[in-house]
Amino acid sequence: MAAEHFDAIVVGAGPAGASAALVLASSGLSVALLDRGEFPGAKNMFGGVLYRHAIEALVGEAWKENGFPVERVVTEQRYWLLGPESMVTVGHRHEAFGREPNAWTAFRARFDPWFAAKAEQAGALGVYQTTVVDLLRDPKTGRVTGVLTDRDEGELYADVVVIADGVNSLLREKLGLPRWRPDQVSLAVKEVLALPRETIESRFNLEGNEGVTIEFLGDTSQGMVGLGFLYTNKESLSLGIGVMIDDLARHRIAPYELLESVKRHPMIRRLIAGAESVEYSAHMIPEGAYDALPPALAGDGWVLCGDAAGLVNFLHREGTNLAMLSGQMAGRVIAEAHRRGDLSARSLMAYDRELRASAIGRDLRRIRRMPSMLHRWGGRRLFGDLVGGINRAAYRYFLADGTPKRQAEAEALREIVRAAGGWRPLMRLAWDGFRGVRG
Amino acid sequence: MKAAPATTAGASAAAVDAGDGRPRGQQARPPSPAAVEKKLFSIRYRADEASHLSLADPERCTRCERPCLWFCPAAVYQWEDGHMRLAYENCLECGTCRVACPSANVVWHYPTGGCGIAYKRG
């Protein structure tokens, strides 16, 4: 690879990078799509759910093709509040989700190669098994002019570099952006647990390719701020838990032992009974919402997309869709700037403005108070005490032991108040929680 | 090539309420790397020739509480005879140690292109 020049170089062939490359190549620009993995997706792991609206925005109805690499259509979403040996649940199932898919469960090592191939079919040059080790800059202006890879004569030049190398982005630090703080990222560990199709369908009350997602919180995070998940695939379950990294470092709990204790929880144990663990994985998730975004998402010769920018809506467990839409937005802005012949930082900043004004920016701004709220109250009070109190209240409410209902209800309410530490903290918590999700 | 389990590390203590001010679930001793070994065998790796991880100053680890012995999801960090051993070939490339090392002592490069972890599902 001798000093080649492209209109754009995209670093990272995940959902964000492949989307940017797809849009750029479709607009007639010369694009190199780089990834350090053996193939796109080789390094990637997620819960994981893919959303139709984002996939359609990029590749239209290609999801109707044979061989679209997803597992099950999500027709039901369940939320569990777990006590040590109990749960309080809410959920929603709708036949419409089966007719008109909203989301699918999937594996990234299977989806990402399919998606990156769409960018290649549009004309992007896929260059995989190639690690980008640095950004190249114009010595006078400081403008990013390309990337240095670990190949022989590994310089590649471009008018614009799209940085989409994921949550563990080394390139964003080469831009001078700070490393994540431990309270801005979580670590998720996951196991894929193989079970026969019929067993999954009977245990989760499913027909055909219907699927369920379960998010759970409470006793399972052992006093840390964290969220667990159990999703159905065709012939396996994805079971995992993510916890904030500051909590993890302080609590001294090994992630794999945390996962083992989740597997032993009575509400989970019976759903995974007899399953064979076929793959363990771990990945960080950006959890900082709006205030952890870099001051600018574009600059002189570069734009930042997907997890590398911190685009995850943890409240709604959305990430891959935000990655795809941010990549699409970046691709459009670059293509338009290229058409006008103005690739200045000022011109590329249209991406920053557009992203912040879009549903992505608006949703991340709406939950901007949540990370500090969770941090202030802490995992033990919120996920241990309070969720425990809610479970004890439910137990008291449903227990028929001759107590008059008025008294049983009062006792149930008292469990929650006590778990919150009194009326005043409970009111404050309700207010903080409301502000956390209302912006 | 998987690292052999360290013999010097103690067996993992059960997650119990220590009652001594430590958060619930906190374990007194680091878990044995054997606890994660079976899980790591489920993952496909293409081993790199050189470590992509190193320590800026190994001396710093001797003055540290070494939370890495707990938080690393692949037990890459192993404390043996007063030295930190890095079982880099087990690394899941999550980057947690870059973020969480109290003394920012971890020097992190990506493995050579095509090397390191290669999930089958992910």
Side-chain angles (χ1 to χ4, degrees):
Chain A
M1 292 197 295
E4 278 189 76
H5 187 278
F6 296 89
D7 292 326
I9 289 171
V10 180
V11 185
S19 297
L22 173 66
V23 171
L24 290 163
S26 306
S27 308
L29 277 70
S30 63
V31 187
L33 176 61
L34 274 58
D35 199 282
R36 66 188 184 89
E38 189 182 9
F39 51 86
K43 308 285 184 185
N44 297 349
M45 168 279 230
F46 75 158
V49 169
L50 295 166
Y51 294 90
R52 179 173 60 93
H53 81 103
I55 292 171
E56 256 182 13
L58 271 304
V59 295
E61 297 200 333
W63 59 270
K64 290 183 177 171
E65 288 171 9
N66 277 332
F68 177 56
V70 295
E71 293 290 312
R72 287 176 181 271
V73 184
V74 179
T75 52
E76 181 177 351
Q77 318 201 42
R78 303 177 187 166
Y79 298 89
W80 289 0
L81 304 178
L82 293 174
E85 53 173 5
S86 62
M87 65 176 171
V88 173
T89 73
V90 288
H92 178 59
R93 177 187 279 237
H94 204 305
E95 292 285 303
F97 289 135
R99 294 190 297 270
E100 194 77 354
N102 172 53
W104 297 276
T105 55
F107 293 123
R108 292 291 296 283
R110 295 179 186 168
F111 176 79
D112 289 14
W114 179 89
F115 195 58
K118 296 291 175 198
E120 290 187 65
Q121 284 155 21
L125 176 68
V127 184
Y128 308 135
Q129 306 194 5
T130 302
T131 301
V132 172
V133 295
D134 207 349
L135 297 169
L136 301 173
R137 289 175 185 269
D138 182 311
K140 287 201 198 81
T141 62
R143 182 182 173 92
V144 172
T145 55
V147 297
L148 178 65
T149 72
D150 66 349
R151 297 287 188 99
D152 290 340
E153 298 177 53
E155 295 97 348
L156 291 175
Y157 292 91
D159 294 335
V160 183
V161 175
V162 177
I163 299 172
D165 56 345
V167 62
N168 190 29
S169 173
L170 301 184
L171 287 189
R172 59 175 267 148
E173 291 171 29
K174 303 278 186 190
L175 290 171
L177 293 170
R179 192 171 288 190
W180 300 115
R181 295 195 318 258
D183 62 340
Q184 291 175 325
V185 273
S186 66
L187 172 68
V189 285
K190 172 177 113 168
E191 260 181 66
V192 177
L193 303 163
L195 274 175
R197 177 185 285 267
E198 315 79 63
T199 308
I200 292 173
E201 287 165 10
S202 69
R203 282 184 193 175
F204 289 85
N205 188 22
L206 303 170
E207 290 174 0
N209 68 339
E210 290 173 348
V212 170
T213 63
I214 303 169
E215 329 286 335
F216 54 86
L217 56 85
D219 194 65
T220 37
S221 63
Q222 299 195 15
M224 300 182 277
V225 172
L227 188 68
F229 53 90
L230 177 59
Y231 299 163
T232 55
N233 305 310
K234 282 188 186 121
E235 297 185 301
S236 65
L237 305 172
S238 291
L239 174 66
I241 184 159
V243 289
M244 293 305 297
I245 283 180
D246 58 336
D247 268 356
L248 188 66
R250 197 168 54 242
H251 283 240
R252 300 206 168 184
I253 295 169
Y256 37 93
E257 297 195 334
L258 180 68
L259 185 55
E260 284 303 307
S261 77
V262 167
K263 287 162 74 176
R264 287 192 298 268
H265 192 282
M267 301 301 131
I268 292 163
R269 191 189 63 223
R270 63 196 68 208
L271 289 174
I272 64 170
E276 183 201 357
S277 174
V278 291
E279 190 172 72
Y280 171 66
S281 54
H283 214 278
M284 289 200 295
I285 307 170
E287 309 272 7
Y290 196 83
D291 293 336
L293 297 184
L297 295 159
D300 211 7
W302 58 270
V303 299
L304 198 55
C305 301
D307 273 12
L311 302 176
V312 166
N313 186 329
F314 58 86
L315 184 63
H316 298 275
R317 58 117 158 84
E318 294 183 19
T320 49
N321 53 337
L322 309 190
M324 288 177 195
L325 296 172
S326 72
Q328 179 184 44
M329 238 176 263
R332 281 179 179 161
V333 165
I334 295 165
E336 171 60 18
H338 187 267
R339 199 187 56 77
R340 281 185 285 113
D342 176 9
L343 288 154
S344 64
R346 207 162 149 259
S347 175
L348 295 179
M349 272 299 280
Y351 162 65
D352 180 284
R353 284 191 301 277
E354 205 179 299
L355 188 121
R356 286 175 202 269
S358 72
I360 298 175
R362 288 168 62 185
D363 288 351
L364 290 180
R365 210 173 298 129
R366 195 168 194 241
I367 59 168
R368 76 193 301 172
R369 287 197 179 90
M370 262 196 100
S372 65
M373 178 256 180
L374 291 169
H375 196 258
R376 198 164 56 251
W377 287 90
R380 186 204 286 239
R381 286 179 79 184
L382 288 177
F383 296 74
D385 299 347
L386 190 66
V387 173
I390 291 168
N391 272 274
R392 286 191 296 278
Y395 180 79
R396 172 65 270 186
Y397 182 78
F398 287 108
L399 183 70
D401 62 351
T403 311
K405 292 302 170 212
R406 183 185 293 256
Q407 188 189 330
E409 284 164 18
E411 283 173 11
L413 181 61
R414 211 169 320 148
E415 287 286 2
I416 292 172
V417 176
R418 194 186 303 145
W423 274 105
R424 192 183 291 256
L426 184 64
M427 289 297 116
R428 174 165 295 165
L429 181 64
W431 173 243
D432 271 14
F434 178 74
R435 298 229 309 168
V437 298
R438 286 285 148 181
Chain B
M1 184 61 191
K2 302 287 167 65
T7 49
T8 49
S12 78
V16 290
D17 194 334
D20 59 358
R22 286 186 288 120
R24 174 178 166 255
Q26 182 171 321
Q27 296 154 1
R29 286 191 294 168
S32 160
V36 74
E37 204 177 43
K38 203 173 147 219
K39 292 194 195 310
L40 297 180
F41 272 119
S42 69
I43 307 170
R44 207 169 121 247
Y45 292 93
R46 273 180 60 180
D48 202 350
E49 285 172 12
S51 176
H52 61 288
L53 300 170
S54 59
L55 301 172
D57 174 13
E59 188 59 29
R60 262 184 238 164
C61 298
T62 62
R63 298 188 297 270
C64 182
E65 294 193 341
R66 298 182 288 278
C68 54
L69 302 182
W70 284 268
F71 67 58
C72 174
V76 165
Y77 295 88
Q78 296 170 16
W79 189 247
E80 290 175 3
D81 307 322
H83 295 283
M84 192 62 82
R85 192 168 84 81
L86 304 183
Y88 77 92
E89 55 285 293
N90 289 344
C91 178
L92 304 175
E93 297 164 44
C94 68
T96 300
C97 54
R98 295 180 67 232
V99 174
C101 174
S103 57
N105 201 16
V106 181
V107 181
W108 223 103
H109 299 280
Y110 290 132
T112 309
C115 292
I117 199 152
Y119 287 125
K120 296 186 293 276
R121 295 175 180 81

